[in-house]
Amino acid sequence: MTILRGALLIGLFCLLGTGSYSQAVLDRRITIEANNQRLSDVLKLISSKGNFYFSYNSSIIARDSLISISAYNRSVKQILDQLCGNQYKWQQSSVNYIILRKAPVTAPTLIASPTPSPEKLYTVSGTVLNGETGEKVGNVTIYEKQRLVSTLSDDKGNFTIKLKSRYSTASLTISREMFEDTTIVIQPKYNQQVTIVMTPVIASDPVVTISPVENELPDTIIVKPPTDTFTIASIAKEKEEVNQVERTRWGKRLLSAKQNIQSINLKKFFADRTFQVSLTPGLSTHGRLSAQVVNNFSANIIAGYTAGVNGVEIAGAVNINKKDVKYMQAAGLMNITGGSMDGAQFAGVHNHVIHEVTGLQAAGISNFIKGSVTGVQLSGIYNHVQGNVKGLQASGIASYVKGNFTGAQLSAIHNHVSGSFTGIQASNISNFVKGKLIGVQLSNIHNVAYDSVFGIQAATIVNFAHKQVSGAQLSAIGNFANRELNGVQISPIFNYTKKLRGVQIGLINVSDTSAGYSIGLVNIVFKGYHKIAFSTNEVLKYNAAFKTGNSKLYSILLAGYGRTSTHDWDNDTAKVFSFGYGIGHEFSIAKWFSLNPEFTAQHLFFANWDSKDKEENSNTLAKLHLQFNFKIGKYFAIFGGPSFTAYYSEQSESAPANSLNLPSPSYHTFDLWDNDVKGWIGWNIGFTIF
């Protein structure tokens, strides 16, 4: 409330006229006595006795700074002049506020008279100071923009730079992180010394405001955050964007700490030149400023470090570029690009690009792209792309794409796409797509699409789709569509989908619900058609069958048993066993009545118990049934109807089974095709449960 009242009073006096009141504040007479006390405590005492506010940046006053002052009946102005001396500067900013600042350092001046240089080079040396604190500033880049000559100040802010005497004008630019750039004009052809003052661009320390009542509460202060437009977060982000190449694993190994500092200092300065030649990073025809120059042609005998390329760059070992590269780049070992690559990039071992690649990229071992790729990417072992890919990606071992992929991805072992995929993905071992797959996925072991599939999955072992499949899944072992199948699943062993709206073909087909067709030995639909049937017919007295699937198409597993004789049906002397398979369809006529055509094929095994040498022989019995099904309740039904039977036997004339009457003599039989196949009209009757 005290601060609020003070603010209202300030506004009121500003409206009425601040001149007289301001003079009254500075002319107020106070008495103060302090001996070896902290400056911050003395300021609190003056604020309380003079009844005004103090404000200052906490960084300009050391906590262990002790002073002594004695003043009797003196004005506030006289006491502040005595207290501040030449180290601090005070200023009244409003009616009742006094701001304390560090006294500014003198502007750049020559501190030694220039002397003519008889040599082809002249020397400029000096010191760099902080314009706010007066402290010496180290790791400052001092450079001449036109001639591309530079140096770095030491930890104490001292520097020396040599310039050519043949130029009639010269100026030096001074740059450092967290400071504003400063440019001074120097006298060419003269050795000289200068003091250079730099202005900080940010004050990150809090502002301390002392109110008049703090003398009663000496441990209480008001701390306000800085109101500068620059913030530490923005500076850190800008620093991260500038030195991305230097922060890579290879950049840390190949570039020195001084090169990294200079890269940060000179983030706003870049130049264009026709060509450059380097032996190693920093040992270049452009000197220490090679990392700030974009060249049309760049030749690096061992390794080079430049701002970028707008033409051709070659290296015996390594190319390092801070910004974009156009149009061709080749290195014996590796290329490291901080910007984008547009054109063709070749490396014997590794390519590393921070932003985008458009064109052709090839490496003997690996490629790493933090951005996206549009074009062709080839490697002997591994490709890694953090963004999207449009085009062809091929590797000897594996490829990884974090974003979306459109085109063809080929590898000998594994392909991985974390986004969606459109095109063809092929590998010898496995493929993985986390998003939607639109196209073809081929592998010798397994394919995984974690989202939906619109196309074909083909694998030697297994295919897996976490969601919907609209297309085909083909494998030698198993197919899985966890949500829905709108298409076909073909596997010799196993197929699964939660919701079937297509066709399953395999030994075992499983689904939760089905509106399609399952063709296999065992077809299981958990929420579909399930019946257990018991029946008798003209061949076998006892039959049991398990029917599963849906009303469109259900499979039948059946077994039978009977006894028959050689001449008399009622005189049983031989056993008959039967195992078989069939399919059926249900035509629903009414809630209580349906018509079920079924086709079954059975193998018959005969055992002649009268012979001393018991012999078993197999024969094939095919039946086409027309079942009239009457439902009695929810879980019980009776059925019956005629059947057409075809019986095929390959047994020899002397086989015991050939003396059996099948069917019984009362049935009229006729030959079909040849003497080994005979047919007749039979019947079938029974009941079902479930």
Side-chain angles (χ1 to χ4, degrees):
M1 292 299 292
T2 303
I3 296 175
L4 180 59
R5 287 197 298 272
L8 292 174
L9 287 173
I10 290 171
L12 178 61
F13 283 119
C14 286
L15 293 174
L16 297 177
T18 61
S20 61
Y21 192 88
S22 298
Q23 188 66 30
V25 170
L26 294 175
D27 290 341
R28 287 178 190 165
R29 293 184 174 273
I30 62 174
T31 298
I32 184 170
E33 187 77 30
N35 185 26
N36 287 331
Q37 294 188 25
R38 290 189 303 176
L39 178 57
S40 59
D41 293 336
V42 174
L43 293 175
K44 293 179 185 178
L45 187 61
I46 296 173
S47 170
S48 178
K49 291 194 173 186
N51 194 28
F52 61 88
Y53 292 84
F54 260 127
S55 180
Y56 61 88
N57 190 301
S58 63
S59 65
I60 68 173
I61 296 179
R63 295 185 62 85
D64 57 354
S65 176
L66 302 178
I67 65 169
S68 297
I69 186 172
S70 178
Y72 176 77
N73 195 27
R74 301 184 67 181
S75 67
V76 171
K77 181 179 182 300
Q78 291 174 326
I79 293 176
L80 290 178
D81 288 338
Q82 179 184 347
L83 181 67
C84 295
N86 60 359
Q87 292 185 348
Y88 302 99
K89 180 182 178 181
W90 59 269
Q91 178 183 354
Q92 187 171 349
S93 65
S94 61
V95 176
N96 212 27
Y97 261 87
I98 293 180
I99 298 176
L100 191 66
R101 292 190 175 94
K102 195 79 172 179
V105 180
T106 306
T109 58
L110 289 172
I111 63 173
S113 299
T115 59
S117 175
E119 306 295 334
K120 294 182 179 180
L121 299 175
Y122 63 96
T123 302
V124 179
S125 59
T127 305
V128 182
L129 302 179
N130 186 324
E132 184 176 294
T133 65
E135 298 175 348
K136 295 180 178 180
V137 182
N139 295 323
V140 177
T141 300
I142 301 96
Y143 61 102
E144 208 286 323
K145 291 183 177 181
Q146 301 301 321
R147 318 304 168 204
L148 298 180
V149 181
S150 71
T151 189
L152 198 67
S153 68
D154 60 19
D155 294 338
K156 297 180 180 180
N158 300 318
F159 70 91
T160 299
I161 187 170
K162 292 185 177 182
L163 302 173
K164 293 182 179 181
S165 299
R166 62 180 178 177
Y167 300 108
S168 59
T169 61
S171 63
L172 292 179
T173 301
I174 301 90
S175 298
R176 191 189 188 280
E177 182 192 16
M178 309 287 284
F179 287 84
E180 294 180 0
D181 287 353
T182 302
T183 300
I184 62 170
V185 177
I186 59 175
Q187 189 173 357
K189 304 178 183 181
Y190 284 84
N191 297 325
Q192 53 203 282
Q193 287 184 312
V194 296
T195 297
I196 302 172
V197 178
M198 301 190 71
T199 304
V201 298
I202 180 172
S204 58
D205 297 296
V207 175
V208 176
T209 301
I210 300 175
S211 67
V213 298
E214 285 181 351
N215 189 44
E216 300 174 5
L217 301 171
D219 296 329
T220 303
I221 60 174
I222 302 171
V223 180
K224 298 181 179 180
T227 57
D228 304 71
T229 56
F230 295 95
T231 64
I232 294 176
S234 63
I235 294 294
K237 183 178 180 181
E238 187 179 58
K239 176 181 176 181
E240 182 178 344
E241 292 176 351
V242 168
N243 66 336
Q244 291 188 80
V245 166
E246 293 81 1
R247 294 174 65 250
T248 63
R249 180 176 60 180
W250 295 108
K252 292 177 181 178
R253 295 179 179 179
L254 298 174
L255 302 176
S256 66
K258 288 186 177 181
Q259 288 173 319
N260 193 7
I261 292 171
Q262 183 150 289
S263 176
I264 297 172
N265 290 344
L266 301 179
K267 56 182 176 290
K268 297 179 181 179
F269 170 70
F270 292 97
D272 296 319
R273 292 294 185 270
T274 303
F275 71 93
Q276 76 89 31
V277 178
S278 295
L279 179 62
T280 60
L283 191 56
S284 163
T285 54
H286 296 326
R288 296 178 180 177
L289 288 180
S290 62
Q292 307 305 122
V293 182
V294 178
N295 304 282
N296 294 333
F297 176 78
S298 176
N300 304 309
I301 298 173
I302 297 176
Y305 177 38
T306 68
V309 178
N310 192 18
V312 177
E313 183 176 52
I314 56 175
V318 181
N319 291 314
I320 304 175
N321 306 99
K322 294 175 64 174
K323 298 174 68 179
D324 299 340
V325 173
K326 298 177 181 181
Y327 290 93
M328 198 281 283
Q329 187 181 58
L333 292 180
M334 68 177 67
N335 297 303
I336 305 173
T337 304
S340 297
M341 173 67 211
D342 187 356
Q345 188 179 55
F346 306 97
V349 176
H350 177 70
N351 288 313
H352 190 117
V353 179
I354 303 298
H355 290 164
E356 318 298 323
V357 171
T358 303
L360 170 64
Q361 185 182 57
I365 301 297
S366 60
N367 294 306
F368 180 92
I369 313 300
K370 199 169 183 179
S372 298
V373 174
T374 302
V376 178
Q377 188 181 54
L378 309 172
S379 73
I381 293 181
Y382 179 67
N383 291 315
H384 186 109
V385 179
Q386 291 285 87
N388 303 322
V389 173
K390 292 183 179 180
L392 170 65
Q393 188 182 57
S395 69
I397 300 297
S399 293
Y400 171 87
V401 177
K402 188 174 182 179
N404 301 323
F405 194 107
T406 302
Q409 189 180 47
L410 313 173
S411 73
I413 302 298
H414 177 70
N415 291 312
H416 186 114
V417 176
S418 292
S420 61
F421 187 95
T422 302
I424 180 170
Q425 188 181 51
S427 73
N428 280 331
I429 302 299
S430 61
N431 294 307
F432 178 90
V433 175
K434 191 172 184 180
K436 290 183 180 180
L437 170 64
I438 303 174
V440 180
Q441 204 176 39
L442 307 172
S443 77
N444 280 331
I445 303 299
H446 73 92
N447 294 310
V448 176
Y450 209 71
D451 203 283
S452 299
V453 174
F454 300 90
I456 298 175
Q457 280 185 316
T460 304
I461 303 300
V462 65
N463 294 306
F464 177 86
H466 188 68
K467 293 184 179 179
Q468 176 182 345
V469 174
S470 296
Q473 284 185 317
L474 313 173
S475 75
I477 302 298
N479 295 307
F480 295 85
N482 269 16
R483 295 285 180 87
E484 183 176 324
L485 174 66
N486 288 299
V488 59
Q489 282 182 325
I490 301 177
S491 172
I493 297 180
F494 184 81
N495 294 306
Y496 170 80
T497 184
K498 185 174 183 180
K499 183 182 294 185
L500 176 61
R501 294 183 181 275
V503 179
Q504 288 179 316
I505 302 175
L507 183 67
I508 302 172
N509 299 304
V510 179
S511 62
D512 189 64
T513 61
S514 176
Y517 300 90
S518 297
I519 303 173
L521 181 64
V522 178
N523 301 305
I524 300 174
V525 181
F526 293 113
K527 298 178 182 178
Y529 190 94
H530 307 94
K531 304 291 182 183
I532 296 177
F534 299 96
S535 64
T536 184
N537 56 49
E538 78 282 1
V539 177
L540 299 170
K541 291 183 178 180
Y542 310 105
N543 294 281
F546 176 62
K547 304 178 182 181
T548 180
N550 60 19
S551 60
K552 290 183 177 182
L553 182 67
Y554 55 86
S555 61
I556 306 170
L557 294 176
L558 66 160
Y561 169 77
R563 297 179 67 89
T564 186
S565 64
T566 55
H567 300 292
D568 187 359
W569 178 262
D570 295 326
N571 185 15
D572 297 336
T573 58
K575 293 181 179 180
V576 182
F577 299 93
S578 169
F579 299 96
Y581 174 80
I583 57 175
H585 177 85
E586 181 178 83
F587 292 97
S588 181
I589 308 300
K591 290 184 178 181
W592 55 272
F593 176 70
S594 65
L595 191 63
N596 293 47
E598 296 178 351
F599 175 79
T600 60
Q602 301 165 262
H603 289 282
L604 303 182
F605 302 89
F606 296 93
N608 188 348
W609 296 99
D610 290 340
S611 64
K612 294 180 180 180
D613 299 323
K614 184 171 67 175
E615 180 181 358
E616 295 184 359
N617 298 284
S618 62
N619 303 273
T620 302
L621 183 71
K623 297 178 72 67
L624 182 61
H625 306 273
L626 184 60
Q627 310 279 29
F628 296 92
N629 191 56
F630 299 89
K631 298 177 182 178
I632 304 174
K634 187 175 180 180
Y635 300 106
F636 186 79
I638 59 174
F639 64 88
S643 64
F644 174 79
T645 306
Y647 176 58
Y648 171 74
S649 176
E650 290 183 340
Q651 301 199 57
S652 62
E653 292 292 337
S654 60
N658 278 335
S659 60
L660 299 174
N661 291 320
L662 190 66
S664 64
S666 60
Y667 286 87
H668 173 71
T669 63
F670 44 87
D671 293 333
L672 298 173
W673 301 292
D674 56 40
N675 294 330
D676 294 331
V677 181
K678 59 181 179 179
W680 65 87
I681 302 299
W683 53 272
N684 189 45
I685 190 171
F687 65 91
T688 62
I689 56 175
F690 304 120

